Each structure stands twice: as structure tokens, then as C-alpha cells.
């Protein structure tokens, strides 16, 4: 975008430099993809809001369908005679030439010829009678397997773990054991009775939930319900970087062309801060274009915990803030200054 | 009388005699009459008959009349006429024989012969007295008749019903054997039942001859199987997931603002909804308003609905961002 400096550079690094007696903590902040994911863009600043109406049903379903493709209806007479008919329709008519009481067994098979449901009834039929019998089919009782995968960007989470559980319709909780099978991938499997469950899962960074979900899970007898969930972004709690002394230095890389890597010209930088836990950025300093760092002194800020951000300025246009919580910061799981 | 007179008288008498001679044969003999006899035989079509031929080859007709008069004649067709029988009561006996000389029918009757008249006499022929045997085999399609039984009877010409017993000798086959039946014609009734319902039947005339066996076979290949019709209506209560719809969602909103989201499950109205933010239960109900204090960040809003009977359920989700400014 013309007028907006787009910058790329090396990953954010935490640099420790000793300048004389005081320990100066230099913190390099990469100015890269200078958009604050939590900030509204200019078009949103005018107060407009887009309200959507969506249909986004999500249910973790088994691997095979329970849609019944074939009904097998078995009539068994009290005298032992048996009549079997098959139909794809849910309404079936049959003429019985043996009279008396018949037991009716209806079995429903899906398109993979797997028995998914059954129901029973009886009918007492005599010659020249017409009777209508309703048979309710229910899912076959038994157990099925549930497999869950939870994917996330490992760069966003410092100490990842996943907790989860299934809650059945009787409100009984069934713990799930998620294992990190590789960076950014947690998995869990469990065998449970067929039926509906509420899946609750949360991605933790340390003890802090950074993302989570709840979803309906349906398990069929003999089936496997498998679902992979992806957390594109997480709410980073940030890692405190402890600094002591009267000053510390914040550094960043200048912007560069993302394709060629050639540094881009800027007219200067602006440094912002906010108290950790608050959401309002406060201007701290204007920095010349030739400078890629700024030393914060106790005259600028009192001791405390601060989030930091920097923007670039070209002519009168200022880029979005690049904060210490962006994925391209280093460490990528976010940080804040704990200065005392 | 003169000779000339005598000659005239003789000529006249001669002429009278000559004139009368042709009429002498026209004068019936005194006390004689004629008899024309016809036989009435039962129609043999569609009749169960013995193995021997009952086709009549010839008849022996004998008559006994007044004054010891009698006759006996062998004839080959009916009717025929016997002439010059004495006036009076005549008893006529007819025996019919087949080509093998076996007597297959007989009949008697009597009539009054009137002199100078021809009397017609009709004689009903029937099997000769004695006893014979009736054997009947009945066959049906055992693939369609599941619970067979046979009802059978004979009705004599006098209207007497004689029950018969059928035995099922194998699948789809029953037989009847009735010995010592008096000779004559009967009406035979056979009915095939399936589960006590008549599904087929036949009625046929039966001829029983003395010392002969009459055999018959009935085939019921297309029985009218009664049926009861059953309509099966299958209700598939398969716990299919509910289709949950969200409305009012926005992708982003400022910190401090709220988002009001409505949920429905289409035509299914008796549903309980539970709302989750990032996997944490927040509230229940058909409407959810996000907390205005929700920190800037990424969020996933989930709602899970259960029908009142807990047999159907569904969920929906929406991701949104709370921005800082």
C-alpha cells in the first residue's frame, strides 16, 4: 500500500548488552507486517458494523453415515414361519397369507451395508384385514471411537498443553487425555458409548487458556468420529522479560521489501507503550529514521510492566503498530517488560 | 234262377272280392298293439367314471306281457319299436353292455299296450346295483398354501351327504379312498383350505359301478390365497444432529462493545442452548451477548443445542476478534 511502510526483517531478538555498570537490556523489536491484529483498520473506525446472518452448523460426525439406504424387515410368525423383505422406502406394504401374531424386526443399513439402527413391533393380522404398524428405529447400542486433533501454531505458544473433556447427555464428564505428538499438534482418542457428547477443549500456555472450543460430538456404535480443530490465532499471555536499572533499550529492524529484502526508506519511527493488561497505547517517543533503537529511561516511564510497540512514518502516514505480541516478534509467543 | 241271372251274380261277387282284396291288409289284427322304447342315459361328460368303458355298445331289451307273452331283443340304438304286442300290461327290462360285454347300466319300466295303438316308453338307465370304490388324488402348490386342509363329501342322487376323509400323504398332495359305495351317480365336492380358509374347490359328478374303482384327480394350481395386508411405517429416530443457525454475528468489534447473537434450530423449537467462549461455558438461552469487558483477542463462540428429550443435538461456532481501538 502506497504511503504505508511495509517492513520485514529478522525475527525479534532479546539482546542483552552491558554498557558500563548498568545492565542494559536491549530489546530488538522487529517491525514487520506492521499490523496489530487487535486493531481495527481505518474503515472500521467510522463506527460501521457489519452484521451477518450465518448458518454454520458444526457437529463432529462419525466416519460413516447413519442415513439408512436399506431396510430389512423380518416377519416371524408364532408358528415359526419367517418372511423377509427389503426396501429402500420407509413405508412398506406386505400381504401375509399366514394369520395370527407376527413379530416384526426392522433393521436399517447404511450405504456401506453397515447395520446402524433397528426396531421391533408386532402385528396380529387376519384374512382380509388391513393394518398399519409403526416401527421406531433407534441406533444400535454399543461403543464407538472418538479421535480429536488440535492444531496450533507452536510459535505462538510458549508452554503448550491441551485439556479437554467430553460431557454426555447425562452431564457426566469424561476426561480426555491430549498428547502433544509434535510441535503444534495435540491428539486424543477415546472409546465411548454411542450418543451425543459435548466436547470442551482448551489450549493452555502454561496455566493460561489461550484458545478453546466447544463442539457437539456424535458417536455411533462401531464408528469412528474424527475431527481436527485448528486454532489459527491464540490470545498470547506474553512472557515477562525482567529488566533492572534505570534504562533499557528497545531495538527493531528497519522495514524491507518483502520480495527483495531491500530496505525501505522511512522518515522515522514512533515508539508506544501501555501498561501490561491495559489496551490503550500511549505515544512515547519519535525516533529518527537512522535510529533503529530507543533507550527508555526512568524519566520516560516509571518502573512497571509494559507492552511496547513501534510504527514507521513515511511523510504523514503512520503504519499500524507492530507489537511485542506479533508472531514475528521474538520470542514469538509474545513478551512484555517487567521493569523494576 | 236263370243261368244268366246266376252268372251276373257271380260276376258281381267276383268284382266285389277283387275290389276288397287290397283292403284286407289294412284291417288291424284283433288285440295287438305296438311299443316304442327310448333310453335315457346320464351325460358322461365331466364325470368321474370307472376305468372300464361306460359307453354302451348294445342293449338287451326284454318284455313280459299278458297271457305269458314275452320278447327279448338285442338292439344297438334308441329308440326302437316292437310290434304286435298283446293288449295289456307289459314289464320292460333293459340291460346296457359295453363293448367288452360288461353290463354298465340297467333300467326297468312298465306300460299298458293298447290294441291298435303305438305306446312310447322312456326308460331311465342307471348303474346296476352293487358297490364300488372311489379314489381321488388332490394336488396343490405347496409353495403358496402353507397350512392346507381338505374338505370333501359325496352327495347321492337322493340328497344324502356322505362325508369323506382326505389324508395329506405328502407336501402338496392328499388322497381320498372310499370303498363300499353304493353304485350310482354322486356329486363329489372337494375344497382346499389354507388356515381354515377355502382357497380352491371343485364339484364333479361321480359314477360308481359295481365292483369297479372310480378314480379322479384334482389340481389346484392357482388357489385364491387369502391375505392380510400390513403397512409398515418406519420412523427413523436416529439422533440426527440438529442444524443450528446463528444470526447477529460480527467478525470484529471494539473492546468495550458487545455482540448479540441469536440461535435457532429451524423448525425444532424445544431446544436448550449452551454458549461457550473459547471452550469455557458462559451461559444458556437462545440469545447471547458478549461481555463488554472481553479483552482484545481472538475468540471462538460455540453454541450447543440439545432437544428436550436429549435425542438430538447440534452445534455451531463463530470466530471473532475483539479489537483494541
Amino acid at each position: 500500500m502506497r504511503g504505508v511502510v511495509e517492513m520485514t526483517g529478522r525475527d525479534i531478538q532479546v539482546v542483552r548488552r552491558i554498557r558500563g555498570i548498568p545492565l542494559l537490556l536491549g530489546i530488538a523489536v522487529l517491525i514487520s507486517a506492521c499490523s496489530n491484529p487487535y486493531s481495527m483498520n481505518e474503515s472500521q473506525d467510522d463506527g460501521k458494523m457489519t452484521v451477518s446472518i450465518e448458518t454454520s452448523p458444526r457437529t463432529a460426525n462419525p466416519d460413516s453415515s447413519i442415513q439408512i439406504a436399506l431396510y430389512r424387515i423380518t416377519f416371524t410368525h408364532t408358528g415359526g414361519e419367517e418372511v423377509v423383505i427389503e426396501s429402500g422406502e420407509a413405508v412398506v406394504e406386505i400381504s401375509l397369507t399366514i394369520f395370527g401374531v407376527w413379530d416384526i424386526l426392522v433393521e436399517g443399513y447404511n450405504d456401506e451395508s453397515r447395520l446402524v439402527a433397528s426396531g421391533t413391533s408386532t402385528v396380529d393380522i387376519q384374512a382380509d384385514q388391513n393394518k398399519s404398524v409403526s416401527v421406531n428405529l433407534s441406533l444400535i447400542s454399543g461403543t464407538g471411537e472418538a479421535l480429536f486433533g488440535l492444531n496450533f501454531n507452536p510459535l505462538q505458544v510458549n508452554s503448550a498443553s491441551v485439556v479437554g473433556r467430553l460431557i454426555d447427555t447425562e452431564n457426566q464428564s469424561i476426561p480426555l487425555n491430549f498428547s502433544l505428538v509434535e510441535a503444534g499438534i495435540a491428539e486424543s482418542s477415546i472409546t465411548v458409548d454411542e450418543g451425543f457428547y459435548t466436547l470442551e477443549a482448551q489450549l493452555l500456555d502454561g496455566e493460561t487458556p489461550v484458545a478453546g472450543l466447544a463442539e457437539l460430538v456424535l458417536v455411533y456404535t462401531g464408528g469412528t468420529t474424527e475431527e481436527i480443530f485448528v486454532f489459527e490465532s491464540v490470545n498470547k499471555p506474553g512472557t515477562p522479560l525482567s529488566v533492572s536499572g534505570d534504562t533499557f533499550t528497545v531495538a527493531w529492524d528497519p522495514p524491507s521489501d518483502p520480495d527483495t529484502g531491500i530496505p525501505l526508506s522511512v522518515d522515522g519511527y514512533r515508539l508506544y507503550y501501555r501498561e501490561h493488561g491495559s489496551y490503550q497505547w500511549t505515544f512515547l517517543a519519535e525516533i529518527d529514521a537512522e535510529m533503529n533503537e530507543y533507550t527508555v529511561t526512568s524519566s520516560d516511564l516509571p518502573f512497571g510492566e509494559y507492552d511496547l510497540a513501534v510504527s514507521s512514518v513515511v511523510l504523514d502516514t503512520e503504519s499500524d503498530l507492530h507489537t511485542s505480541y506479533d508472531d514475528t516478534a521474538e520470542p514469538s509467543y509474545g513478551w512484555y517488560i517487567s521493569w523494576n | 234262377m236263370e243261368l244268366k241271372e246266376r252268372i251276373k251274380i257271380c260276376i258281381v261277387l267276383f268284382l266285389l272280392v277283387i275290389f276288397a282284396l287290397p283292403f284286407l291288409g289294412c284291417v288291424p289284427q284283433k288285440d295287438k298293439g305296438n311299443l316304442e322304447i327310448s333310453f335315457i342315459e346320464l351325460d358322461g361328460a365331466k364325470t368321474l367314471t370307472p376305468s372300464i368303458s361306460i359307453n354302451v355298445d348294445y342293449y338287451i331289451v326284454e318284455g313280459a306281457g299278458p297271457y305269458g307273452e314275452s320278447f327279448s331283443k338285442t338292439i344297438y340304438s334308441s329308440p326302437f319299436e316292437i310290434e304286435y304286442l298283446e293288449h295289456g300290461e307289459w314289464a320292460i327290462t333293459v340291460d346296457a353292455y359295453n363293448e367288452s360285454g360288461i353290463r354298465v347300466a340297467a333300467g326297468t319300466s312298465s306300460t299298458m299296450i293298447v290294441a291298435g295303438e303305438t305306446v312310447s316308453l322312456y326308460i331311465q338307465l342307471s348303474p346296476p346295483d352293487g358297490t364300488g370304490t372311489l379314489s381321488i388324488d388332490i394336488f396343490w402348490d405347496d409353495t403358496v398354501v402353507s397350512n392346507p386342509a381338505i374338505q370333501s363329501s359325496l352327495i347321492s342322487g337322493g340328497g344324502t351327504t356322505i362325508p369323506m376323509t382326505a389324508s395329506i400323504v405328502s407336501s402338496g398332495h392328499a388322497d381320498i379312498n372310499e370303498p363300499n359305495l353304493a353304485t350310482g351317480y354322486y356329486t363329489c365336492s372337494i375344497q382346499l383350505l389354507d388356515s381354515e380358509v377355502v382357497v380352491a374347490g371343485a364339484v364333479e359328478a361321480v359314477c360308481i359301478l359295481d365292483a369297479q374303482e372310480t378314480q379322479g384327480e384334482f389340481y389346484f394350481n392357482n388357489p385364491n390365497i387369502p391375505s392380510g395386508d400390513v403397512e409398515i411405517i418406519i420412523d427413523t429416530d436416529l439422533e440426527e444432529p440438529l442444524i443450528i443457525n446463528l444470526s447477529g454475528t460480527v467478525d470484529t468489534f471494539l473492546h468495550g462493545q458487545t455482540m448479540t447473537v441469536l440461535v435457532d434450530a429451524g423448525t425444532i423449537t424445544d431446544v436448550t442452548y449452551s454458549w461457550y467462549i473459547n471452550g469455557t461455558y458462559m451461559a444458556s438461552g437462545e440469545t447471547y451477548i458478549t461481555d463488554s469487558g472481553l479483552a482484545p483477542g481472538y475468540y471462538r463462540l460455540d453454541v450447543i443445542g440439545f432437544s428436550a428429550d436429549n435425542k438430538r443435538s447440534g452445534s455451531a461456532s463463530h470466530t471473532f476478534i475483539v479489537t483494541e481501538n
Side-chain angles (χ1 to χ4, degrees), chain A residues 199-262:
Chain A
L199 167 66
E200 294 179 0
Q202 286 186 319
L203 173 63
L204 306 179
D205 189 349
E207 300 293 328
T208 304
V210 296
L213 62 88
E215 183 144 329
L216 184 74
V217 175
L218 180 54
V219 176
Y220 294 153
T221 299
T224 299
T225 300
E226 185 172 8
E227 193 73 25
I228 296 175
F229 304 95
V230 178
F231 292 128
E232 298 285 355
S233 299
V234 303
N235 298 322
K236 300 174 183 177
T239 296
L241 297 179
S242 296
V243 295
S244 59
D246 293 334
T247 64
F248 66 89
T249 299
V250 181
W252 56 89
D253 288 337
S256 61
D257 187 289
D259 297 324
T260 65
I262 298 174

Side-chain angles (χ1 to χ4, degrees), chain A residues 151-225:
Chain A
N151 296 356
F152 57 94
N153 184 349
L155 297 177
Q156 298 176 339
V157 184
N158 183 26
S159 178
S161 64
V162 175
V163 293
R165 63 175 181 167
L166 291 176
I167 303 172
D168 66 16
T169 54
E170 302 297 324
N171 211 28
Q172 300 298 311
S173 179
I174 304 170
L176 294 174
N177 180 25
F178 278 93
S179 300
L180 290 172
V181 294
E182 61 182 90
I185 299 177
E187 291 181 352
S188 178
S189 66
I190 191 169
T191 299
V192 292
D193 291 339
E194 62 90 12
F196 284 113
Y197 295 87
T198 298
L199 167 66
E200 294 179 0
Q202 286 186 319
L203 173 63
L204 306 179
D205 189 349
E207 300 293 328
T208 304
V210 296
L213 62 88
E215 183 144 329
L216 184 74
V217 175
L218 180 54
V219 176
Y220 294 153
T221 299
T224 299
T225 300

Side-chain angles (χ1 to χ4, degrees), chain B:
Chain B
M1 185 179 295
E2 294 201 10
L3 180 61
K4 203 172 176 180
E5 286 288 327
R6 292 178 180 174
I7 293 172
K8 284 182 181 179
I9 292 172
C10 290
I11 292 173
V12 171
L13 292 174
F14 177 77
L15 290 173
L16 288 173
V17 171
I18 294 299
F19 179 77
L21 277 177
F23 298 98
L24 286 177
C26 296
V27 177
Q29 295 183 6
K30 185 180 180 181
D31 298 335
K32 299 294 184 184
N34 298 334
L35 175 63
E36 182 186 75
I37 302 175
S38 299
F39 307 136
I40 302 173
E41 300 176 54
L42 293 179
D43 185 3
K46 296 294 291 180
T47 300
L48 299 182
T49 60
S51 56
I52 63 170
S53 172
I54 62 170
N55 292 325
V56 176
D57 187 54
Y58 60 92
Y59 305 89
I60 295 177
V61 182
E62 295 176 332
Y67 315 119
E69 291 287 324
S70 66
F71 68 87
S72 177
K73 286 186 176 295
T74 299
I75 63 169
Y76 296 89
S77 62
S78 169
F80 75 98
E81 186 174 320
I82 301 175
E83 298 176 331
Y84 308 121
L85 295 179
E86 285 291 339
H87 168 80
E89 183 78 14
W90 282 81
I92 308 299
T93 300
V94 180
D95 291 303
Y97 296 84
N98 66 9
E99 60 187 5
S100 299
I102 299 173
R103 191 171 65 129
V104 296
T108 61
S109 188
S110 61
T111 186
M112 177 65 74
I113 299 298
V114 178
E117 294 183 0
T118 298
V119 176
S120 295
L121 178 63
Y122 299 91
I123 299 177
Q124 175 76 54
L125 298 186
S126 301
D129 290 343
T131 60
T133 300
L134 175 62
S135 296
I136 295 175
D137 289 283
I138 305 153
F139 300 92
W140 64 88
D141 185 350
D142 66 320
T143 62
V144 297
V145 180
S146 56
N147 194 14
I150 300 294
Q151 282 185 346
S152 58
S153 63
L154 284 177
I155 302 174
S156 68
T160 302
T161 298
I162 304 169
M164 296 191 295
T165 301
S167 301
I168 296 178
V169 294
S170 64
S171 180
H173 178 205
D175 68 10
I176 296 171
N177 189 275
E178 288 292 334
N180 302 318
L181 289 173
T183 58
Y185 282 91
Y186 295 85
T187 298
C188 175
S189 173
I190 305 289
Q191 287 184 315
L192 172 64
L193 290 76
D194 188 4
S195 299
E196 302 181 351
V197 175
V198 175
V199 297
V203 174
E204 197 150 358
V206 172
C207 177
I208 301 296
L209 291 183
D210 183 34
Q212 299 295 325
E213 181 181 38
T214 299
Q215 295 179 329
E217 292 181 346
F218 293 89
Y219 291 87
F220 300 129
N221 291 325
N222 297 296
N224 300 315
I225 301 300
S227 64
D229 294 332
V230 179
E231 179 188 56
I232 305 297
I233 301 172
I234 302 170
D235 181 9
T236 53
D237 180 14
L238 298 185
E239 304 176 2
E240 293 177 80
L242 294 173
I243 303 300
I244 303 293
N245 307 303
L246 294 177
S247 58
T249 57
V250 295
D251 294 336
T252 61
F253 58 91
L254 284 171
H255 169 65
Q257 294 184 343
T258 61
M259 174 176 67
T260 301
V261 184
L262 304 177
V263 64
D264 70 79
T267 58
I268 311 299
T269 56
D270 195 5
V271 179
T272 300
Y273 298 99
S274 298
W275 297 89
Y276 292 79
I277 293 286
N278 280 1
T280 299
Y281 172 79
M282 304 303 293
S284 63
E286 296 181 354
T287 302
Y288 178 68
I289 304 173
T290 58
D291 188 347
S292 61
L294 204 58
Y298 300 94
Y299 295 95
R300 171 172 160 146
L301 173 67
D302 291 300
V303 60
I304 294 178
F306 276 91
S307 62
D309 58 4
N310 276 344
K311 289 186 174 181
R312 297 190 68 186
S313 183
S315 61
S317 66
H318 173 70
T319 57
F320 63 95
I321 299 172
V322 177
T323 60
E324 297 166 349
N325 51 50

Side-chain angles (χ1 to χ4, degrees), chain A residues 41-285:
Chain A
N41 58 33
E42 293 179 357
S43 64
Q44 292 171 309
D45 290 339
D46 57 6
K48 292 182 179 177
M49 181 175 287
T50 302
V51 177
S52 63
I53 299 174
E54 60 180 325
T55 298
S56 56
R58 278 195 59 89
T59 300
N61 289 319
D63 52 346
S64 61
S65 170
I66 61 166
Q67 295 298 317
I68 294 178
L70 178 71
Y71 297 101
R72 176 172 296 144
I73 306 166
T74 303
F75 297 83
T76 304
H77 191 257
T78 51
E81 294 84 356
E82 188 172 277
V83 178
V84 179
I85 59 174
E86 294 182 342
S87 172
E89 303 297 327
V91 178
V92 181
E93 293 183 0
I94 183 174
S95 293
L96 296 171
T97 58
I98 301 176
F99 309 117
V101 177
W102 291 81
D103 292 327
I104 304 170
L105 169 65
V106 179
E107 298 171 302
Y109 294 83
N110 67 6
D111 54 5
E112 298 170 345
S113 298
R114 191 167 70 85
L115 177 64
V116 296
S118 68
T120 61
S121 187
T122 60
V123 63
D124 185 353
I125 189 72
Q126 303 299 327
D128 300 325
Q129 279 187 335
N130 292 298
K131 285 195 173 180
S132 181
V133 178
S134 179
V135 181
N136 295 319
L137 294 196
S138 299
L139 291 175
I140 298 296
S141 297
T143 61
E145 189 173 17
L147 303 175
F148 304 115
L150 202 155
N151 296 356
F152 57 94
N153 184 349
L155 297 177
Q156 298 176 339
V157 184
N158 183 26
S159 178
S161 64
V162 175
V163 293
R165 63 175 181 167
L166 291 176
I167 303 172
D168 66 16
T169 54
E170 302 297 324
N171 211 28
Q172 300 298 311
S173 179
I174 304 170
L176 294 174
N177 180 25
F178 278 93
S179 300
L180 290 172
V181 294
E182 61 182 90
I185 299 177
E187 291 181 352
S188 178
S189 66
I190 191 169
T191 299
V192 292
D193 291 339
E194 62 90 12
F196 284 113
Y197 295 87
T198 298
L199 167 66
E200 294 179 0
Q202 286 186 319
L203 173 63
L204 306 179
D205 189 349
E207 300 293 328
T208 304
V210 296
L213 62 88
E215 183 144 329
L216 184 74
V217 175
L218 180 54
V219 176
Y220 294 153
T221 299
T224 299
T225 300
E226 185 172 8
E227 193 73 25
I228 296 175
F229 304 95
V230 178
F231 292 128
E232 298 285 355
S233 299
V234 303
N235 298 322
K236 300 174 183 177
T239 296
L241 297 179
S242 296
V243 295
S244 59
D246 293 334
T247 64
F248 66 89
T249 299
V250 181
W252 56 89
D253 288 337
S256 61
D257 187 289
D259 297 324
T260 65
I262 298 174
L264 299 175
S265 175
V266 299
D267 296 331
Y269 301 100
R270 289 173 182 168
L271 185 63
Y272 294 84
Y273 76 95
R274 68 182 180 193
E275 288 190 36
H276 181 63
S278 67
Y279 310 118
Q280 189 62 47
W281 293 102
T282 302
F283 175 76
L284 180 63

